[in-house]
Amino acid sequence: MTAPSNVPGSPRNAIRPHDVLKSRSGRARKFAISDGVPVEVLESGPSVAARVATLASRLTIRPVLAVGSYVPDLPWPWSLIDLASRVLLPVSATVRETVSLPNASAQLVRAPGVLPADGSRRMILYFHGGAFLTCGANSHGRLVEALSKFADSPVLVVNYRLLPKHSVGMALDDCHDAYQWLRRRGYEPDQIVLAGDSAGGYLALSLAQRLQEVGEEPAALVAISPLLQLAKEYKQAHPNIKTDAMFPARAFDALVELVASAAEKNTADGKPEEIYEPLEHIKPGLPRTLIHVSGSEVLLHDAQLAASRLAAVGVPAEVRVWPGQVHDFQLTAPLLPEAVRSLRQIGEYIREATGQG
């Protein structure tokens, strides 16, 4: 596992010059060349505002998750988070359109000034976090709006089916349905960027692997504080389990229990759904990948492991580590300066990956 550089903003392993290749649609695309080692950059910070956010999370969210993790099967009102977020979303000129999928819905988001989703330019397919259990397009509204602005792209946010009623495999099916909706809309794979935060990172990588089986490669994959490995032992043994301002060790026990229980109920031909570990299926040809993660959160383990395995098979992989931040700190944009800076970097990466300026 690689360690961050001790110089803020400096790459641990610099990317060599880009090659410019032609996509199937004739547009030039830039691809970073991998030499088998992931690029890892240590960002500056944390700011005073970030320190306050981390302390607030440690005093509020972490204790709630600690209690809830002992009784995960109780009917917790997780859906209220997204419903409440709809009320709290500020009024803006952002365009939001509901899209119907076979078993779920999605929201097509365009920040002011972004051109309509007509299949002619780039598109971000976004999978929200929330431990496969909660949140949605409303809870992630500000993050997605900022991403749309910085990437100059519409964003399709999938309201996939959630635990405990539905399985992770069913959520992945909904994400695949959203991708197919974009393809029918006229988007080519090299125009589409898969992105997600927390559990959404798992869905993004798993979908990229499903698409790889049918010969389709999206332009890039972007993951924010991603959960990329369902196995709990390595995270619970990671040093950051003591510094994570959101997740106690027991939270990962509860997550595994919920995922396994839902999978057991989702049967096909009399067999329960298998638990899928995307990091065990890394192959050459996956999309170039950018990961942003807090240096203090336990999911740093997943981020660094994923980047190492991707780079080892020739997939350009970059990890940007943000010291002292809370998990998924990009959700606090525009309140935290680091959140805005992170989303701006992601937007620039997406523009480069799609080769459309």
Side-chain angles (χ1 to χ4, degrees):
M1 184 176 298
T2 59
S5 162
N6 59 6
V7 180
S10 67
R12 186 182 190 282
N13 178 55
I15 299 179
R16 294 201 299 265
H18 295 79
D19 278 352
V20 179
L21 305 179
K22 290 289 185 179
S23 69
R24 288 190 300 168
S25 56
R27 289 182 296 272
R29 288 182 62 192
K30 296 179 180 179
F31 289 88
I33 299 173
S34 172
D35 61 1
V37 179
V39 172
E40 189 164 308
V41 178
L42 182 65
E43 295 287 344
S44 60
S47 64
V48 172
R51 293 176 189 274
V52 172
T54 297
L55 178 60
S57 178
R58 181 172 292 279
L59 294 176
T60 58
I61 299 176
R62 184 181 170 106
V64 171
L65 293 180
V67 173
S69 64
Y70 282 96
V71 280
D73 294 325
L74 286 182
W76 298 97
W78 297 116
S79 61
L80 292 181
I81 293 177
D82 199 56
L83 291 175
S85 298
R86 175 188 289 184
V87 178
L88 296 174
L89 270 177
V91 176
S92 72
T94 296
V95 178
R96 301 178 187 275
E97 173 189 346
T98 299
V99 173
S100 295
L101 301 173
N103 297 294
S105 68
Q107 192 174 96
L108 190 58
V109 179
R110 282 192 295 123
V114 175
L115 295 176
D118 60 3
S120 64
R121 301 175 75 245
R122 68 178 69 88
M123 169 63 73
I124 301 169
L125 181 55
Y126 196 89
F127 313 124
H128 67 82
F132 309 109
L133 187 67
T134 185
C135 296
N138 296 316
S139 64
H140 286 62
R142 293 191 182 195
L143 184 157
V144 169
E145 182 178 344
L147 191 57
S148 175
K149 171 187 173 182
F150 291 131
D152 187 24
S153 171
V155 183
L156 185 63
V157 192
V158 185
N159 287 314
Y160 53 83
R161 288 170 286 179
L162 299 170
L163 297 174
K165 186 176 180 180
H166 305 288
S167 70
V168 173
M170 296 165 79
L172 181 58
D173 288 341
D174 295 337
C175 297
H176 193 190
D177 287 339
Y179 176 85
Q180 291 176 318
W181 184 87
L182 290 176
R183 295 288 278 117
R184 290 193 299 270
R185 189 100 170 193
Y187 287 95
E188 294 293 327
D190 59 19
Q191 294 174 281
I192 301 171
V193 172
L194 306 181
D197 64 282
S198 196
Y202 171 101
L203 294 170
L205 179 56
S206 298
L207 179 58
Q209 291 170 330
R210 180 180 290 192
L211 296 176
Q212 187 178 37
E213 294 176 359
V214 295
E216 296 208 354
E217 182 186 349
L221 190 155
V222 174
I224 296 171
S225 291
L227 172 75
L228 295 171
Q229 187 179 52
L230 294 176
K232 61 185 180 180
E233 294 81 8
Y234 299 104
K235 283 184 276 289
Q236 291 175 329
H238 194 276
N240 280 5
I241 200 67
K242 298 178 181 178
T243 60
D244 196 303
M246 188 173 293
F247 297 121
R250 174 64 193 172
F252 296 101
D253 292 317
L255 177 62
V256 169
E257 290 174 19
L258 288 169
V259 170
S261 177
E264 188 174 354
K265 296 174 185 176
N266 184 29
T267 59
D269 299 325
K271 297 180 180 179
E273 177 184 306
E274 293 186 8
I275 304 298
Y276 184 75
E277 288 285 11
L279 294 189
E280 295 178 3
H281 302 275
I282 301 295
K283 299 176 183 177
L286 285 167
R288 58 182 290 183
T289 298
L290 172 67
I291 302 174
H292 282 225
V293 64
S294 165
S296 302
E297 68 174 309
V298 73
L299 292 182
L300 177 65
H301 165 270
D302 291 30
Q304 292 178 319
L305 180 60
S308 295
R309 291 189 177 180
L310 287 165
V313 297
V315 177
E318 177 179 344
V319 180
R320 289 189 172 263
V321 180
W322 297 80
Q325 300 294 329
V326 69
H327 168 75
D328 232 345
F329 67 93
Q330 291 82 356
L331 284 169
T332 63
L335 300 178
L336 292 191
E338 293 94 337
V340 175
R341 184 152 52 97
S342 170
L343 291 170
R344 182 180 288 111
Q345 289 178 5
I346 291 171
E348 292 170 353
Y349 182 89
I350 289 172
R351 291 184 190 216
E352 178 190 287
T354 52
Q356 300 169 15

